[in-house]
Amino acid sequence: MKYTGAVILLFLSYTAFSQIKKGDWLVNGRGSVISTQSDRSSASTNINMKISLGYFFRDNWMAGGSIDIRTTRFSARTINEVFARHYLRDTLFNTRIYAEARWIFQQSTPIGFGTNRGYRGSAAVLALGLNRFISPQLAIEAQLDYHFFQRFKNSGQASRLEPGHLSTRLGIQYFFRYRDWKAERKKDYRDVLKRGSWMIGGRMTIAERLSQTFYFEQNFNPSLAFFIKRNWALGSELNYTSFISYSFISLGLSPFSRYYLNVGRKKKIYGELRTAYLRTFNRQGGSNNSKGDEWQYGLALGLSNFINENVSFDISYSFQNNMIRSNDFSIKSEFQRRGFNFSLHYFFTKKKS
């Protein structure tokens, strides 16, 4: 009950934090460069990186852009966006409604012989969304997009227009306000991770079309940790991934333990131990449906740089061992993943009444 109450308090207790003014920034980013190696195949490196940046040039008016890069052994895909957003006045429970216009350009390039042909595409989007501000820096964002123009061109084929469609998105957004850089540089964050503090992080994005599917993917990987002692947190991450109209679903939990050491006023190094269990479902139609189990364990070493007392930017190097078995144990594979990760984390402490 204590933990449940802390989470409820997080969403209900903060007030007057959604004043978005000229000079504020929206900053979001998460990514990884991971190499996968197994005994049965050669190593492959995957890059998954998305960075968003927006600037409030007037009160409640923001302009910005984002870049999304994904590479696998077989293809390289980039999505570039530019957008403009206008926020309306405060509504109930410190929530801000906004309207957004966005232009998207994406490109997929095949890698290697015998792979699928690449494509190029562009789209114009009108969106309506809301930010539920949990603190001055953190907001839960829900958005409904209408793609009223969309053009694609496969390699060697004429370009074609795709019909308009709706899509939904859910995620976390970080907002920052620096009015005095000199004063900020002098602040000391060595003692911010106290017993009883909470840490929120992870990737929380759900993108789903509400009409005929051209490309479909969902990722929902929020994490929550509690500091049982100063600088020592225990927590877990929820892992949910699905592809192409739910033909593949992976669902599981990844508990972890993380310990921090101070190396400066704003910087901390940390070590993390992590394990996970995931259940996978692969629906191929008829009697070809399959299920499997995946076990993971590994460790990470990282560096946290505190942007302010509530938000840190983390860079880490991780090693992970994976073992996968099908239901009838007819398929068994083991492989290792290692590489760099970067992300943002949010910290808060339950206030005593």
Side-chain angles (χ1 to χ4, degrees), residues 236-249:
S236 184
E237 180 175 333
L238 172 67
N239 297 286
Y240 168 77
T241 304
S242 64
F243 296 98
I244 315 301
S245 300
Y246 297 103
S247 61
F248 173 82
I249 297 177

Side-chain angles (χ1 to χ4, degrees), residues 15 45-46 55 57 63 80 98 168 180 219 270:
T15 59
T45 300
N46 292 356
Y55 179 72
F57 59 92
N80 300 305
Y98 63 83
T168 59
D180 191 340
N219 289 281
Y270 65 84

Side-chain angles (χ1 to χ4, degrees), residues 83-106:
F83 59 86
R85 179 182 293 189
H86 174 61
Y87 282 86
L88 306 180
R89 294 182 178 180
D90 283 357
T91 56
L92 189 64
F93 294 125
N94 217 36
T95 300
R96 300 295 298 269
I97 297 174
Y98 63 83
E100 181 179 291
R102 189 165 73 255
W103 178 260
I104 305 172
F105 176 78
Q106 56 183 311

Side-chain angles (χ1 to χ4, degrees), residues 18-24 55-63 85-89 96 177 179:
S18 58
Q19 301 303 315
I20 302 173
K21 298 183 179 297
K22 179 181 178 181
D24 291 355
Y55 179 72
F56 285 86
F57 59 92
R58 293 182 58 185
D59 290 358
N60 300 321
W61 285 91
M62 178 179 63
R85 179 182 293 189
H86 174 61
Y87 282 86
L88 306 180
R89 294 182 178 180
R96 300 295 298 269
R177 178 178 302 168
R179 296 291 186 261

Side-chain angles (χ1 to χ4, degrees), residues 259-325:
Y259 191 81
Y260 290 86
L261 292 173
N262 292 315
V263 291
R265 289 183 300 172
K266 300 177 182 296
K267 292 180 173 58
K268 302 175 185 288
I269 58 173
Y270 65 84
E272 181 178 289
L273 297 176
R274 180 182 291 263
T275 186
Y277 169 75
L278 295 93
R279 183 72 163 167
T280 60
F281 306 86
N282 194 359
R283 187 180 65 190
Q284 301 174 352
S287 60
N288 294 325
N289 297 339
S290 63
K291 299 178 183 179
D293 298 289
E294 181 174 350
W295 291 269
Q296 303 173 359
Y297 62 89
L299 56 87
L301 295 175
L303 173 67
S304 290
N305 183 65
F306 276 74
I307 302 171
N308 55 48
E309 64 179 347
N310 296 113
V311 180
S312 72
F313 174 73
D314 296 355
I315 299 176
S316 65
Y317 183 83
S318 62
F319 171 85
Q320 180 177 292
N321 193 75
N322 296 57
M323 182 172 63
I324 300 176
R325 284 195 176 99

Side-chain angles (χ1 to χ4, degrees), residues 65-79:
S66 68
I67 181 170
D68 189 345
I69 301 173
R70 306 180 191 181
T71 69
T72 67
R73 173 184 282 181
F74 304 107
S75 66
R77 182 177 180 225
T78 60
I79 304 174

Side-chain angles (χ1 to χ4, degrees), residues 101-312:
R102 189 165 73 255
W103 178 260
I104 305 172
F105 176 78
Q106 56 183 311
Q107 177 175 335
S108 178
T109 305
I111 300 175
F113 178 77
T115 57
N116 295 329
R117 290 181 294 184
Y119 70 86
R120 292 185 178 184
S122 57
V125 180
L126 294 177
L128 187 66
L130 61 86
N131 287 150
R132 166 66 175 98
F133 278 82
I134 298 172
S135 79
Q137 289 82 34
L138 186 69
I140 305 297
E141 182 170 287
Q143 184 170 300
L144 177 66
D145 293 345
Y146 174 60
H147 298 244
F148 65 91
F149 171 85
Q150 190 158 270
R151 184 188 299 273
F152 284 95
K153 181 179 181 180
N154 291 324
S155 298
Q157 298 182 2
S159 62
R160 67 185 189 277
L161 288 174
E162 296 287 332
H165 67 271
L166 295 172
S167 66
T168 59
R169 303 205 299 182
L170 175 68
I172 292 178
Q173 293 288 12
Y174 294 87
F175 296 81
F176 298 100
R177 178 178 302 168
Y178 287 129
R179 296 291 186 261
D180 191 340
W181 290 93
K182 292 182 179 179
E184 178 62 32
R185 286 198 298 266
K186 297 178 181 178
K187 291 184 178 180
D188 194 322
Y189 299 132
R190 281 177 286 197
D191 198 34
V192 295
L193 303 183
K194 300 178 180 179
R195 182 179 183 274
S197 299
W198 292 82
M199 178 178 71
I200 297 176
R203 178 179 53 188
M204 295 176 61
T205 58
I206 297 179
E208 179 178 6
R209 293 198 177 190
L210 305 182
S211 60
Q212 184 178 3
T213 298
F214 174 77
Y215 182 84
F216 177 84
E217 180 178 351
Q218 291 187 330
N219 289 281
F220 192 66
N221 303 91
S223 63
L224 182 67
F226 178 74
F227 283 83
I228 60 173
K229 296 180 65 176
R230 183 175 181 268
N231 293 329
W232 184 12
L234 298 179
S236 184
E237 180 175 333
L238 172 67
N239 297 286
Y240 168 77
T241 304
S242 64
F243 296 98
I244 315 301
S245 300
Y246 297 103
S247 61
F248 173 82
I249 297 177
S250 176
L251 178 65
L253 287 175
S254 178
F256 63 88
S257 174
R258 178 182 290 194
Y259 191 81
Y260 290 86
L261 292 173
N262 292 315
V263 291
R265 289 183 300 172
K266 300 177 182 296
K267 292 180 173 58
K268 302 175 185 288
I269 58 173
Y270 65 84
E272 181 178 289
L273 297 176
R274 180 182 291 263
T275 186
Y277 169 75
L278 295 93
R279 183 72 163 167
T280 60
F281 306 86
N282 194 359
R283 187 180 65 190
Q284 301 174 352
S287 60
N288 294 325
N289 297 339
S290 63
K291 299 178 183 179
D293 298 289
E294 181 174 350
W295 291 269
Q296 303 173 359
Y297 62 89
L299 56 87
L301 295 175
L303 173 67
S304 290
N305 183 65
F306 276 74
I307 302 171
N308 55 48
E309 64 179 347
N310 296 113
V311 180
S312 72

